[in-house]
Amino acid sequence: MNVENSQSRSYRFFACWAAFSYRNALWVILFAVMIAALSVVYTARNLGVHTDTTDMLSEDVPFRINHERYKEVFPQYKDTMLLVVDAPTPEQAHASAKHLADGLKADAEHFYDAYYLSGEAFFEQNGLLYKSIPDLELITDRLAAAQPLVARIADDPTLYTFAEVLNEAVDELRNGRDLDLETVFDGVSATLDAQHAGMPRALSWQALLGGERQADNYQELVLARPILDYTQLFAAEQSIAAIREVAQAVGLTDESAETMRITGAVALAFDELNSAMYGAQDAGLLALVMVAVVLFMALRRPGAVLTVLLSLILGLLLTAGFATLAVGHLNLISIAFAVLYIGLGVDYAIHFLLRHQELRQSGRSVADTLHATGGDMGRSLMICAVTTAIGFYAFMPTTYRGVAELGLISGTGMVISLLVTLTLLPALQRFFPTRRRMSNVSIDSVNKVLEMPIRSRKLVFVVTIGAIIASVAALPQIRFDYNLLNLNNPQAESVQTFRELLAEAEDSPWHIIALADDHQQTEELVQQLSALPEVDKVMTILDLVPTEQAIKSQLIEEMAMTLGPIAFTSQMQQSDAYSHTQQQAKLEELKQSLDQLVIEQPNHPIVIPARTLSISLANLLIQLTQLNQAADEHGATQLLQVVSHDLLRLLPESILRLQMALGAEPFTQAMLPESLSSHWQSQESVYRLAVYPTENINDNDALRRFVRAVQQVSPGATGAPVISLEAGEAVVDAFVHAFSLALLGVTLALLVLLRSVASTVLVLVPLLLAALFTGAGTVYLGVPFNFANIIALPLLLGIGIDCSVHMVHRSRNAGVVYENLLHTSTARAIFYSALTTLVGFGSLAFSPHQGTASMGLLLAVGVLLTLICVLIILPVLLQSSGKKT
C-alpha cells in the first residue's frame, strides 16, 4: 500500500467507517435487526404483486392504446379462458359444451359470463342456412336414404330392429338397388370395433345423416370470462378450480369419453407463473446448496459464510422495504431484484472478506486489518456501487415499466448493499472473526488456474481477436423470440392445447382484431384484408347473414318433407324386448347377407365397407358364442345392451336437433339476437373483424409477416399476435435505449471517479467484450433473447462493471504487476464471486419454465464469458499498457 493512497481522504473515510462499525458492533447489529424487522413488517403489510403482464408496458405506446380501446368496446373479450371440450361424437361434444357453459354462467362468484356461441338457440334453428347448397343437397339425399331406417328404429328402437333394417338394405343392394350405405357401414363397424377393443364410443347419427365419415375426435370451444384478483399472486387460481368443479359435475372427467382442457390467455398466464414459481423454488434449493459450497471453498470458515448470508438477508429485506415505499408493488419483472441483489451483493461481501483475510496473514489484529480493509476496499466498492446503480437507473426512462421499476429497485439495492457491506460485515467480525489460514492449498489451487494464460499472452491476443471477428459476424443473426408460448412450460395443459389449436390455422385462437367505425368501412377492410396472401379469412357480423337464403330454405323444406313427423318414445326400449338369442340370430343373419353381397358383387363400391362390417360382426358374435358356451346368459345380455346403447343412444337427440334446424327461416342482420351480434357489433356501432392467418403463426417469421401485412391495411389492429410482436419490439427498444444510457452514465461516472481515461477504457473493454461474446453466444447456442432471459442483461452489466473496476483499481492503486495481480485476493474474489453467481443462477436452467431456463443458461454463459474477459484478457491488457492504470 503506497503512502499517497493510505493518506487519501477516501482511504481514511472508509477505514474509519469500518473501524467504527467494529468498535460499536453490538449497537450496529441491534440497529440492523431493528430496521430489518421494521422492513419485514412494512413490506408484509403494504407490498402488492401485479401479475398482469400488459401493465408492465407504458400505457402510452400505440399498441396498448389500441388494445385498451378494443377492451372498452368489446369487454367480453377481456381476460378470457378458452375451454376445449373433446368428445368422440359431435353430439356429445355439443351437449357437454352446452352443459359446461350453463354451469359457468350460473357461477356468478367466479365468472362474469361464459359463451358457447355454437350452442346458441339461434344457431340451433338456423344452422342449416350456413351450409352450402351442394352440402344441403347431399344431406337431403342422405336423409332420403336413411329415413326408412330412422322411422323403423323410432317405432322400435332396439338392436334387433336396427340389424333387421340393415339386413333389408343389404338385400336391396344385392338386388341391384343403388343405395349409399358406405358411411353407415363404416360408422357401425367403427363402433363395434371400439367396443371390442375395450374403448367403447357411440355412433354419431349427426355424422351419418350429414354424409360424413365419423372422425376420432370432435371439439367445441367455450369462452369463459373469469373474475380475477390481481392482488393475489395467482389471480386465476380460484376461477380455474371453479371450472374444474363444474366440469366434474357435468361429467367432463379424465376417465369419461368427454373431456375438457383449459387454455387461453388467462390460463397460459397462470401456468406460466406457476411453472416459474415452482421451478424457481426447486432451482433455489439447488442454488442454496451450491452457493454455500462455493462460499465455503472461498472463505473456509462457517462463520465467514454465515456473515455473508446475514449481510445478504439484511440487504434483501431493506431493498424489499424500499421497493414497497417507492413503488408499492412488484411485477413479474421487478421481482427479479432479489436475483440481481444476491448475484451482486455476494460479490461485495466476498471481496471485502477475502481482502481482510489476505491482510490477516501478516499477523496483525482484527481491528487493524479491518481498518486497512475498509480503506483498501471502500473506494473500489463505492465505484462499483455507483457505476452499477447508474447502469440500473438508466432503465428508468424506458417505456417498459416492468424494467423501469426493476432499475429503480435494483439500483437502490446496490447502494444498500454497499452500506450493509461496509457496516454490518465489520460489526460481525466481532463475533465471527477472520482467522489466519493455516494452509494455502486452496489458494494455490486457484492461483494455478489463474496463471494458465501467463505464458501464452500472444495466444490470448490471437484468440481474442478471432473471437471478436466470429462474434461480429454473428451479430446480424441475433434475434428476439416474440412467441410468449416459448416461455411457458411445454408440458402444461394450456400450452399443449393452445399449440394444438394454433396448428389449425383456419380457426387459430391467435388471430388479429381490427375495428371499423361503420358498415361501409367494414366492407372495405374485409375486401382489402382478404386480398392479402398472409390472410386466410376475415370474419365479421356480415358473415352471420348467409347468402342464397331463399334457395336454401326450399331445400330445407324438402328435407322436412323427406324426414316426416318422426317421434321417438319417451324412453328407449330395453333390449329385453327381444331375447339375446333372437338378437344374436339377427346379427348372424346380417353378417351372412354381407358375406353374400361380397361374393355376389365383388366389384361393387360397397364391398370394402361391407367386408369390414362383416369382420366386426364376426368379432362380436365370437364374444357372444364364448359367453353362451360358458352359460353366461347375463353376460351375453349385458354385452348386447352395451352394443345397442353405443349404436342407438344418440339417434333421438340427433333427430330432435335436425327437426329444430328444419324450422329455419330467412333472416337479416337486424334480426340477429343481441347475444350473438354483440360479439361483432358494439352498442356504439363499432364493428369487430377477426383476421385469421394463412400460416401457423407459432413461427416467429410467420407471425411478423402476418402482423405487418395486416397493419399496412389496419394500423390500429390489435389482438394477441400484434401485442406479442409489438411488446417484443418495445422491450428490445427499451433495452437498447437503456443500455445506451447506462453505458454513457457508467463511462462518465468512471471518468469522474477514476480520473483517468486509460483506466476507464480498461474497465469498459472487458464489459464490452463480454457483451459482444454473450450476444454471439445466443446465436451459436440457439438461445434467442426473449421476454424472460433479457432480464439477465442488467445482472451481467453489473458483474462486468464490478469485476473490471476491482481489477483496475487494485492494479492502479497497489502497483501490482501482471503475475502478482492474479495472486491477489482481488483475482480470487472475482473468481469466487463469478463462480457463486454461475452455480447459483445457472441452476435456473433446470426450471420447467422455458423462459426461466433460458435466463439461467444465458446467465451461466454470460458470467463465464465475463470471467474470461476479466481474468484472462484484462490482465494481459493491463500488463501490455506499460504503465500503472
Side-chain angles (χ1 to χ4, degrees):
M1 183 187 309
N2 59 41
V3 177
E4 179 181 352
N5 280 330
S6 67
Q7 298 300 320
S8 68
R9 283 182 292 180
S10 63
Y11 179 93
R12 291 196 302 271
F13 175 77
F14 289 114
C16 292
W17 186 341
F20 175 83
S21 296
Y22 180 75
R23 287 195 306 270
N24 300 278
L26 184 60
W27 291 108
V28 168
I29 294 173
L30 288 176
F31 178 74
V33 171
M34 181 184 69
I35 60 174
L38 290 175
S39 181
V40 168
V41 173
Y42 180 72
T43 302
R45 291 180 177 178
N46 299 281
L47 184 63
V49 178
H50 287 186
T51 56
D52 189 350
T53 54
T54 57
D55 283 343
M56 290 189 290
L57 287 162
S58 170
E59 297 176 353
D60 298 327
V61 293
F63 79 90
R64 280 209 65 187
I65 295 174
N66 295 334
H67 192 62
E68 288 300 320
R69 184 199 174 201
Y70 170 58
K71 290 192 294 184
E72 289 176 5
V73 177
F74 293 98
Q76 62 267 47
Y77 289 101
K78 178 182 179 181
D79 298 329
T80 59
M81 283 191 280
L82 196 60
L83 314 181
V84 181
V85 176
D86 295 279
T89 67
E91 296 96 327
Q92 291 170 296
H94 172 82
S96 297
K98 195 169 183 63
H99 292 151
L100 177 63
D102 290 342
L104 297 179
K105 287 181 180 179
D107 187 0
E109 180 182 355
H110 297 105
F111 301 94
Y112 294 110
D113 209 341
Y115 313 99
Y116 174 42
L117 298 182
S118 299
E120 287 279 337
F122 178 84
F123 282 129
E124 294 271 16
Q125 179 177 347
N126 299 289
L128 289 175
L129 289 173
Y130 291 94
K131 292 187 176 293
S132 66
I133 290 177
D135 285 343
L136 290 176
E137 292 173 341
L138 177 61
I139 294 173
T140 302
D141 294 340
R142 298 283 185 185
L143 196 56
Q147 197 279 337
L149 173 65
V150 174
R152 288 276 299 279
I153 296 175
D155 292 335
D156 185 15
T158 62
L159 177 61
Y160 181 92
T161 302
F162 181 70
E164 184 177 57
V165 174
L166 278 183
N167 191 34
E168 293 173 0
V170 173
D171 288 341
E172 292 288 337
L173 287 171
R174 292 171 61 191
N175 293 330
R177 185 177 175 184
D178 186 17
L179 295 176
D180 187 1
L181 294 177
E182 182 177 348
T183 54
V184 176
F185 285 1
D186 286 340
V188 175
S189 177
T191 302
L192 295 178
D193 290 344
Q195 192 282 327
H196 181 71
M199 298 180 291
R201 71 169 189 173
L203 175 64
S204 172
W205 287 87
Q206 179 178 324
L208 287 183
L209 295 174
E212 303 171 1
R213 191 179 302 275
Q214 185 172 344
D216 293 330
N217 185 63
Y218 292 86
Q219 286 184 346
E220 292 291 340
L221 304 179
V222 176
L223 191 68
R225 189 179 171 212
I227 298 174
L228 304 177
D229 182 8
Y230 283 114
T231 62
Q232 301 297 318
L233 183 59
F234 294 96
E237 186 172 22
Q238 294 183 357
S239 298
I240 290 177
I243 291 175
R244 301 287 185 195
E245 291 180 7
V246 173
Q248 183 83 19
V250 300
L252 291 167
T253 65
D254 293 336
E255 295 76 25
S256 64
E258 304 90 346
T259 60
M260 180 213 63
R261 294 173 291 166
I262 305 175
T263 187
V266 172
L268 288 167
F270 173 83
D271 280 338
E272 181 176 5
L273 181 59
N274 188 57
S275 64
M277 291 292 292
Y278 289 108
Q281 287 182 10
D282 295 338
L285 293 176
L286 177 62
L288 182 62
V289 174
M290 297 300 294
V291 167
V293 170
V294 173
L295 285 176
F296 186 78
M297 289 171 55
L299 303 173
R300 289 291 172 173
R301 299 286 179 181
V305 174
L306 181 61
T307 297
V308 173
L309 295 178
L310 289 176
S311 66
L312 281 178
I313 292 172
L314 176 62
L316 274 174
L317 293 178
L318 294 181
T319 305
F322 170 79
T324 307
L325 178 65
V327 182
H329 63 264
L330 296 176
N331 56 56
L332 293 179
I333 301 295
S334 63
I335 201 170
F337 86 87
V339 174
L340 301 178
Y341 184 91
I342 293 173
L344 295 173
V346 74
D347 178 16
Y348 294 1
I350 288 176
H351 274 281
F352 188 93
L353 289 179
L354 284 183
R355 178 56 176 160
H356 182 224
Q357 188 180 78
E358 185 178 47
L359 293 175
R360 285 281 289 145
Q361 294 301 109
S362 64
R364 298 161 61 185
S365 67
V366 173
D368 288 343
T369 52
L370 273 178
H371 184 277
T373 301
D376 285 347
M377 297 304 303
R379 180 173 171 80
S380 63
L381 290 178
M382 180 196 68
I383 294 173
C384 291
V386 170
T387 52
T388 306
I390 289 174
F392 284 139
Y393 287 148
F395 288 82
M396 292 173 58
T398 67
T399 57
Y400 195 9
R401 183 183 300 168
V403 173
E405 293 175 359
L406 175 66
L408 173 62
I409 297 169
S410 297
T412 306
M414 294 302 96
V415 177
I416 291 173
S417 180
L418 174 67
L419 298 177
V420 170
T421 299
L422 294 178
T423 305
L424 185 62
L425 286 186
L428 290 174
Q429 284 294 305
R430 176 73 72 176
F431 304 96
F432 306 106
T434 297
R435 305 186 185 280
R436 295 178 57 188
R437 281 183 179 268
M438 302 306 296
S439 171
N440 289 326
V441 174
S442 63
I443 293 179
D444 293 340
S445 300
V446 175
N447 287 344
K448 289 179 180 179
V449 173
L450 298 177
E451 288 173 357
M452 291 177 62
I454 287 180
R455 299 178 179 85
S456 307
R457 298 177 193 176
K458 291 183 179 180
L459 179 62
V460 170
F461 277 115
V462 171
V463 172
T464 300
I465 293 173
I468 291 174
I469 294 173
S471 298
V472 171
L475 287 182
Q477 301 177 54
I478 293 178
R479 64 188 183 91
F480 187 93
D481 187 357
Y482 303 98
N483 194 335
L484 294 171
L485 280 182
N486 292 338
L487 301 182
N488 218 323
N489 179 6
Q491 304 304 317
E493 176 188 85
S494 62
V495 176
Q496 293 182 338
T497 305
F498 205 82
R499 289 192 186 279
E500 178 185 309
L501 295 175
L502 281 179
E504 300 292 333
E506 182 179 353
D507 296 307
S508 173
W510 263 7
H511 53 263
I512 291 178
I513 301 299
L515 300 180
D517 295 326
D518 52 49
H519 187 280
Q520 181 180 352
Q521 187 182 14
T522 301
E523 291 183 329
E524 292 174 354
L525 281 176
V526 169
Q527 183 178 3
Q528 294 173 17
L529 291 170
S530 299
L532 296 174
E534 295 84 2
V535 173
D536 178 54
K537 64 179 179 181
V538 182
M539 294 290 296
T540 70
I541 194 172
L542 306 181
D543 296 296
L544 298 184
V545 182
T547 59
E548 302 177 302
Q549 293 190 53
I551 300 175
K552 293 177 181 178
S553 295
Q554 292 177 0
L555 290 173
I556 293 172
E557 290 176 4
E558 183 180 338
M559 275 188 225
M561 294 178 62
T562 301
L563 182 63
I566 295 177
F568 286 82
T569 56
S570 58
Q571 185 175 4
M572 296 286 284
Q573 296 183 26
Q574 299 298 317
S575 59
D576 57 12
Y578 300 91
S579 68
H580 79 275
T581 305
Q582 290 175 304
Q583 295 179 77
Q584 182 174 347
K586 187 58 66 175
L587 291 172
E588 289 174 346
E589 183 180 342
L590 173 59
K591 181 185 181 304
Q592 292 172 3
S593 297
L594 289 167
D595 292 339
Q596 288 298 319
L597 173 63
V598 172
I599 294 172
E600 295 170 1
Q601 302 186 39
N603 297 322
H604 197 288
I606 201 69
V607 164
I608 295 178
R611 184 182 292 115
T612 302
L613 178 55
S614 176
I615 295 172
S616 301
L617 286 169
N619 292 329
L620 173 60
L621 291 170
I622 290 172
Q623 286 182 281
L624 289 170
T625 300
Q626 291 173 345
L627 292 170
N628 290 331
Q629 291 174 348
D632 188 359
E633 182 177 342
H634 175 72
T637 301
Q638 189 176 34
L639 175 59
L640 289 170
Q641 286 178 344
V642 170
V643 172
S644 176
H645 182 73
D646 289 344
L647 290 172
L648 301 175
R649 69 186 175 99
L650 297 180
L651 179 57
E653 179 65 23
S654 298
I655 296 300
L656 181 62
R657 289 183 62 198
L658 177 59
Q659 289 172 332
M660 184 183 300
L662 293 176
E665 297 180 354
F667 60 90
T668 63
Q669 181 177 321
M671 297 169 64
L672 292 171
E674 184 181 357
S675 61
L676 183 60
S677 63
S678 62
H679 288 270
W680 298 98
Q681 183 178 359
S682 70
Q683 294 180 351
E684 299 84 3
S685 293
V686 176
Y687 289 75
R688 175 175 172 267
L689 293 80
V691 187
Y692 291 84
T694 303
E695 303 175 90
N696 181 354
I697 56 175
N698 192 39
D699 175 73
N700 279 313
D701 294 331
L703 172 69
R704 176 181 290 276
R705 285 193 296 269
F706 177 53
V707 171
R708 294 305 182 219
V710 173
Q711 286 180 328
Q712 289 294 319
V713 176
S714 178
T718 186
V722 176
I723 293 173
S724 180
L725 181 63
E726 295 291 357
E729 297 203 339
V731 170
V732 172
D733 291 343
F735 270 89
V736 170
H737 179 65
F739 270 94
S740 299
L741 290 177
L743 185 60
L744 177 62
V746 167
T747 302
L748 293 176
L750 288 173
L751 287 171
V752 172
L753 295 172
L754 296 178
R755 299 179 182 180
S756 168
V757 174
S759 296
T760 300
V761 171
L762 287 171
V763 169
L764 292 176
V765 165
L767 175 64
L768 296 177
L769 287 178
L772 176 64
F773 297 157
T774 302
T778 65
V779 175
Y780 292 118
L781 294 175
V783 183
F785 288 111
N786 55 48
F787 290 94
N789 65 24
I790 202 168
I791 303 171
L793 297 180
L795 177 56
L796 295 176
L797 173 70
I799 293 174
I801 294 173
D802 288 359
C803 293
S804 297
V805 165
H806 283 302
M807 289 291 283
V808 172
H809 185 270
R810 183 69 182 268
S811 175
R812 189 185 73 168
N813 289 281
V816 183
V817 297
Y818 173 67
E819 290 82 357
N820 292 336
L821 181 61
L822 296 177
H823 291 175
T824 64
S825 63
T826 299
R828 293 195 302 276
I830 291 172
F831 175 79
Y832 284 120
S833 295
L835 191 58
T836 302
T837 304
L838 189 66
V839 300
F841 303 116
S843 63
L844 294 174
F846 300 101
S847 171
H849 183 261
Q850 296 303 291
T852 303
S854 67
M855 180 172 68
L857 180 59
L858 186 61
L859 272 172
V861 172
V863 169
L864 181 62
L865 292 172
T866 301
L867 196 62
I868 292 172
C869 291
V870 172
L871 293 183
I872 296 179
I873 299 175
L874 178 58
V876 172
L877 293 176
L878 285 170
Q879 194 273 340
S880 300
S881 64
K883 61 178 182 179
K884 298 178 184 178
T885 56

